[in-house]
């Protein structure tokens, strides 16, 4: 069964304290691994798609990486405005259903 | 680009009433998804449309839920009769059939059934 597991459930950082969020996936043939950001009261906002192991994508203080079983979202020198829930999701080749993880709630304190 | 549009943003209704949620996908996108999000269960896929045709509705909780997509720019999710356990945030998302597999979400409808 396709599955996506995120850890930790919650992460509290000081401003400027870099860290990583983990996403473990079990998917038969990965078509794409996605990262989304969700702010309270809003819909998930698309950040990145990764297609194959070794691929990396960056946007401002965020960098997403992919291996054959995991993806990491690295946050460098975070700011309070990076506080949000980060969702990881996976889509299997030949499938239509994107499997979402439960998310990591990130809190960045000034 | 206006993004995915949902209405209403908030809905409060009494148990037993009919509720209709509306969605306008991004122009040119040919796939549409309805999700429900709760703290306990996270994001759950309810139904998926491709080119206006329902492809999979296995996530629809029960017969009280129905969804339609009469054309490429409009979809509805109806709950009749509504129950308190239907209280959640309902999201609509759309996806392009030609450029990438990521989904773009609307702002959601927060439904409260009392």
């Amino acid at each position: 069964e396709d599955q996506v597991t995120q850890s930790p459930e919650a992460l509290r950082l000081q401003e400027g304290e870099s860290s990583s969020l983990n996403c473990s996936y079990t998917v038969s043939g990965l078509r794409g691994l996605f990262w989304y950001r969700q702010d309270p009261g809003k819909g998930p906002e698309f950040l990145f798609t990764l297609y194959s192991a070794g691929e990396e994508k960056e946007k401002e203080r965020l960098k997403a990486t992919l291996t054959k079983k995991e993806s990491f979202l690295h946050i460098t020198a975070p700011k309070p405005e990076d506080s949000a829930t980060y969702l990881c999701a996976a889509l299997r080749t030949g499938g239509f259903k994107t499997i979402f993880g439960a998310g990591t709630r990130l809190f960045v304190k000034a | 680009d206006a993004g995915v549009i949902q209405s209403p943003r908030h809905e409060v209704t009494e148990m037993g009433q009919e509720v209709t949620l509306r969605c306008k996908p991004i122009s040119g996108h040919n796939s549409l998804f309805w999700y429900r999000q709760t703290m306990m269960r996270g994001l759950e896929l309810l139904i998926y449309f491709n080119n206006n045709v329902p492809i999979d509705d296995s996530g629809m909780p029960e017969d009280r839920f129905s969804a339609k997509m009469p054309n490429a720019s409009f979809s509805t999710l109806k709950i009749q009769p509504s129950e308190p356990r239907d209280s959640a945030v309902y999201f609509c998302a759309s996806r392009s059939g030609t450029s990438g597999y990521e989904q773009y979400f609307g702002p959601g409808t927060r439904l409260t059934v009392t």
Side-chain angles (χ1 to χ4, degrees), chain A residues 55-104:
Chain A
E55 189 175 1
E56 298 184 352
K57 295 233 175 123
E58 286 188 69
K59 180 180 180 180
E60 296 181 353
R61 295 176 293 282
L62 300 177
K63 183 169 79 172
T65 62
L66 182 66
T67 72
K68 289 188 176 180
K69 295 190 175 184
E70 293 177 304
S71 179
F72 294 92
L73 185 65
H74 307 276
I75 303 177
T76 302
K79 298 182 177 181
E81 53 262 42
D82 295 322
S83 298
T85 295
Y86 290 86
L87 298 168
C88 172
L91 177 65
R92 143 165 80 85
T93 301
F96 65 87
K97 185 175 182 178
T98 301
I99 308 298
F100 282 83
T104 293

Side-chain angles (χ1 to χ4, degrees), chain B residues 19-83:
Chain B
V19 175
T20 300
L21 311 182
R22 297 173 176 78
C23 174
K24 177 178 169 57
I26 292 172
S27 177
H29 284 192
N30 68 350
S31 294
L32 184 139
F33 305 81
W34 281 101
Y35 289 89
R36 179 170 66 178
Q37 187 177 44
T38 60
M39 288 293 293
M40 291 296 293
R41 301 172 69 93
L43 264 174
E44 300 175 275
L45 177 64
L46 299 177
I47 187 168
Y48 158 59
F49 290 88
N50 190 52
N51 292 322
N52 313 338
V53 176
I55 303 300
D56 187 280
D57 64 355
S58 60
M60 296 285 259
E62 47 200 272
D63 292 344
R64 298 184 298 106
F65 285 68
S66 63
K68 294 182 179 180
M69 192 165 186
N71 57 61
S73 58
F74 184 67
S75 177
T76 59
L77 178 68
K78 184 179 292 186
I79 308 172
Q80 165 64 19
S82 57
E83 296 183 4

Side-chain angles (χ1 to χ4, degrees), chain A residues 23-53:
Chain A
C23 171
S24 297
Y25 65 93
T26 306
V27 171
S28 303
L30 183 71
R31 171 165 276 174
L33 188 292
F34 312 94
W35 283 96
Y36 292 83
R37 168 187 171 133
Q38 186 173 22
D39 292 294
K42 296 188 176 181
E45 176 190 351
F46 170 68
L47 293 174
F48 305 109
T49 305
L50 300 167
Y51 293 103
S52 57

Side-chain angles (χ1 to χ4, degrees), chain A residues 12-26:
Chain A
R12 297 180 183 277
L13 300 174
Q14 289 291 131
E15 184 173 3
E17 180 186 1
S18 301
S19 188
S20 297
L21 282 55
N22 175 265
C23 171
S24 297
Y25 65 93
T26 306

